[in-house]
Amino acid sequence: MSDTIKALRLNEPFGLNNIEVTELDDPGQPAAGEVRVSIKASSLNFHDYAVATGAMAPESGRIPMSDGAGIVEAVGPGVEEFEVGDTVVSTFFPRWLTGPASISDFNNTPGDGIDGYARQVVVRPTEFFTHQPKGYTHAESATLTTAGLTAWRALVVEGQIKPGDSVLVLGSGGVSVFACQIAKSLGATVYATSSSDAKLERYKKLGASHVFNYQDDADWGDSVYKASGGRGVDHVIEVGGPGTLPQSIKAVATGGHIALIGVLTGNQGEVPTAQLMAKQARLQGIIVGSRQHQQDFIRALEASDIKPVIDKVFAMQELSEAFRYEESGQHFGKICLTF
């Protein structure tokens, strides 16, 4: 065992040019209730980007990245859930184990309130991890912590999706692509938007039945509504925020569900409340999910043929380059890091 491990740190002034490759003391052996995990992969999320650029006001020296997947190297006394050699994936809210949402901040979220997974080895309590899905690579598993679980909770836990439902996904980031895959696997009809015709063709290959280029069709909410036969869609995966929410309300069915997941177009704005009320639709803010949600999601993945869509893979020390690629919006699905 080496005395040091490699890691990345965010230094002030925060920004993509100031992510430092450094060495840390090896964390040593796990205490009671802990596991030592060799981290093999992570994946990028908008939240990680916001932390790295300083928008989330991280502490100087923070180790970034909320998603981490790897191999258990050692277990502490009393640990029965994991064994040496198990493949594991991190949890976004390690203190939210089960039950209704109980957390409204990121104080204990790895890569934000506490140090994350841009490092070779961690020692953490067992609740910081679950088992990976059988047959998944480390990179594939690393996409589940944030993006995959958010889509699962929006559609299955909160949306109570059922065969025959319809789902609208916005854009082609990780959450939206996962939502398309989950919806199709559960017998739903998928509608998708993008500014890229090439990406819309990729959505068709994933099973989307109706696609809309929002640059060519500014009133895409009406177009979705018309394409649904004037009924509207049962579920909307709303990742844009104030800039897209009015169109999502146009698109949603009476009594439908809008999962407000992202704020890519800003943190606040006007909401057509009268139209939302007339639709009697449910607008619900969602941030990832609990450890139990993740375990349920992983069981579902093992019973399906869903594999995450990974657009591009970078090495850990190329994190700045990976974030710039994310920033460009070229990706379809997830961007991963391997260590």
Side-chain angles (χ1 to χ4, degrees):
M1 185 184 298
S2 172
D3 292 334
T4 61
I5 63 169
K6 291 190 183 304
L8 301 181
R9 284 197 184 279
L10 306 177
N11 295 318
E12 297 184 78
F14 297 114
L16 301 187
N17 293 326
N18 214 9
I19 301 175
E20 175 194 18
V21 179
T22 188
E23 291 193 345
L24 307 175
D25 290 339
D26 186 279
Q29 293 302 305
E34 294 182 335
V35 289
R36 176 185 168 98
V37 177
S38 173
I39 301 297
K40 301 298 183 184
S42 182
S43 79
L44 278 63
N45 301 287
F46 182 76
H47 184 99
D48 300 302
Y49 174 79
V51 173
T53 55
M56 299 293 291
E59 289 185 10
S60 184
R62 174 66 71 231
I63 298 172
M65 309 310 293
S66 295
D67 301 352
I71 302 171
V72 175
E73 291 189 331
V75 300
V79 172
E80 298 181 354
E81 185 175 359
F82 301 111
E83 297 178 351
V84 173
D86 282 351
T87 57
V88 295
V89 58
S90 64
T91 56
F92 188 88
F93 288 125
R95 304 303 183 197
W96 179 16
L97 302 182
T98 189
S102 58
I103 296 175
S104 58
D105 57 53
F106 302 109
N107 291 341
N108 289 295
T109 296
D112 189 338
I114 61 175
D115 284 335
Y117 294 104
R119 47 179 157 171
Q120 290 178 307
V121 177
V122 297
V123 173
R124 294 290 205 194
T126 56
E127 60 264 27
F128 278 68
F129 291 94
T130 69
H131 290 279
Q132 292 184 20
K134 294 180 178 66
Y136 266 45
T137 66
H138 295 302
E140 288 170 340
S141 296
T143 68
L144 306 180
T145 296
T146 304
L149 185 56
T150 300
W152 171 263
R153 183 179 164 212
L155 289 176
V156 178
V157 179
E158 308 295 348
Q160 298 289 296
I161 190 173
K162 60 186 182 299
D165 278 1
S166 51
V167 176
L168 170 63
V169 299
L170 308 186
S172 57
V175 175
S176 296
V177 172
F178 259 120
C180 175
Q181 293 176 285
I182 293 168
K184 286 302 297 180
S185 75
L186 296 174
T189 300
V190 176
Y191 298 67
T193 72
S194 174
S195 61
S196 161
D197 288 339
K199 289 180 179 180
L200 292 175
E201 286 302 314
R202 293 192 67 179
Y203 261 129
K204 288 181 183 179
K205 291 178 181 178
L206 283 180
S209 301
H210 307 273
V211 297
F212 306 85
N213 188 314
Y214 61 78
Q215 282 195 335
D216 298 337
D217 183 1
D219 206 11
W220 50 265
D222 270 341
S223 298
V224 171
Y225 191 79
K226 290 173 184 175
S228 70
R231 180 182 177 275
V233 293
D234 299 294
H235 310 271
V236 181
I237 304 301
E238 173 51 79
V239 298
T244 53
L245 185 56
Q247 294 295 324
S248 291
I249 292 172
K250 287 183 180 181
V252 76
T254 301
H257 177 226
I258 301 174
L260 181 58
I261 289 163
V263 289
L264 298 179
T265 62
N267 291 331
Q268 58 186 4
E270 292 186 8
V271 176
T273 50
Q275 190 176 18
L276 179 65
M277 184 175 65
K279 285 284 187 83
Q280 299 186 70
R282 178 162 55 108
L283 175 62
Q284 181 180 12
I286 288 178
I287 304 177
V288 198
S290 70
R291 188 173 191 261
Q292 183 64 59
H293 292 151
Q294 182 162 309
Q295 291 170 319
D296 293 343
F297 177 38
I298 287 171
R299 280 196 296 274
L301 290 173
E302 291 178 336
S304 77
D305 59 0
I306 293 175
K307 281 297 186 75
V309 177
I310 296 176
D311 183 284
K312 199 167 183 179
V313 178
F314 293 81
M316 178 178 72
Q317 63 270 23
E318 298 174 322
L319 179 58
S320 295
E321 183 182 342
F323 275 135
R324 289 191 180 93
Y325 182 65
E326 180 184 36
E327 194 177 51
S328 75
Q330 298 177 57
H331 60 291
F332 182 92
K334 293 295 292 178
I335 304 165
C336 290
L337 301 176
T338 56
F339 301 164

